[in-house]
Amino acid sequence: MPEFSVAGDDLARRQQTFTELYSNHHSWLHGWLRKKLGCSQRAADLAHDAFIRVLTLAEPQSIKEPRAFLATMAGRLLIDGARRRRIEQAYLEALALQAHDAGMPDPAAVHAALEALEKISAMLAGLPTKTREAFLLSRLDGLTYSEIAIELKVSASTVKNYVASVLVHCYNALYAEDSTA
C-alpha cells in the first residue's frame, strides 16, 4: 500500500509542478513565439507542443530556469518545423520536376510520400540535436562528414558515429513497429 501513496504523491507533485509552470509561463511563451513568428495561431500550436514535451520529462520539477528552458525547447521545435517544411518543399519541387517531365504524379503517391516524411521526422525527433543535425546535413544537404564536422565543431569520426547511430535508431524503430503490427 505505501507504494501507491508514494507513486500517487509523485504524480500529484508532477501535476502541481506542470500546472504551476503552465500557469506562470504559457502566456509569456505564447507572446515570445508570436513575436518571432508573427502568427498567433502558430505560436499557440508551438507553445502547446513545448508544454507537451514538458509533460514527457521524467523530472519537470528539476527545471531551474523555466523561461530559458521553454525558449530553448520552443526554439528547437521551430528548427524541427523548418526542417520538416524544407523536406516537404524539396519533395514537392522534385515532384513538380517529375510531373513536368512525365505527367502529374498520383495524388495517393504524394500523400504516401508526405506521410513517410512525417514518420521519418517523428523518428528523428527524439534524437540528440547534434546527432539529428549531422544526419540531416548528410542526407538532405549532401555534405561530407568532414564538412559536417566543421559545421558541428566535432571530428569526422564523431559525425560518422552520429549518422550510424541514427540509422540504427531508425532501423530499430521500424523493426519495433513491424513486430507490433
Side-chain angles (χ1 to χ4, degrees):
M1 188 75 170
E3 288 182 33
F4 286 124
S5 66
V6 171
D9 290 346
D10 185 46
L11 179 60
R13 254 192 319 271
R14 287 175 51 90
Q15 288 174 335
Q16 179 66 30
T17 299
F18 181 79
T19 300
E20 288 174 8
L21 186 67
Y22 188 89
S23 298
N24 295 337
H25 303 289
H26 179 268
S27 294
W28 170 82
L29 181 61
H30 179 259
W32 183 79
L33 286 165
R34 189 177 58 243
K35 287 178 190 172
K36 285 199 163 298
L37 298 169
C39 176
S40 184
Q41 289 81 13
R42 279 200 57 222
D45 287 345
L46 279 172
H48 171 78
D49 290 348
F51 279 100
I52 291 295
R53 287 203 177 172
V54 170
L55 279 174
T56 65
L57 294 176
E59 296 183 29
Q61 65 275 11
S62 68
I63 299 171
K64 301 293 184 224
E65 297 291 332
R67 288 189 176 183
F69 179 84
L70 289 167
T72 300
M73 188 171 294
R76 289 178 181 161
L77 288 168
L78 283 169
I79 291 168
D80 289 346
R83 281 193 183 119
R84 189 175 311 115
R85 284 186 298 282
R86 196 169 86 210
I87 291 169
E88 289 173 2
Q89 185 60 39
Y91 178 73
L92 291 173
E93 287 172 6
L95 283 178
L97 282 173
Q98 187 180 34
H100 182 268
D101 293 341
M104 277 305 279
D106 177 25
V110 172
H111 180 71
L114 289 175
E115 280 185 345
L117 290 172
E118 282 297 319
K119 193 177 200 179
I120 292 167
S121 179
M123 274 194 281
L124 298 178
L127 294 169
T129 304
K130 279 192 175 183
T131 304
R132 182 177 59 241
E133 195 165 336
F135 178 76
L136 292 172
L137 288 169
S138 170
R139 296 300 190 238
L140 293 182
D141 296 340
L143 297 182
T144 65
Y145 289 174
S146 298
E147 292 168 329
I148 297 167
I150 292 167
E151 181 147 342
L152 297 181
K153 296 178 177 65
V154 296
S155 69
S157 62
T158 299
V159 171
K160 181 179 179 183
N161 290 336
Y162 285 164
V163 173
S165 71
V166 173
L167 294 172
V168 168
H169 172 80
C170 290
Y171 174 81
N172 289 335
L174 290 171
Y175 179 75
E177 183 180 295
D178 285 346
S179 66
T180 61

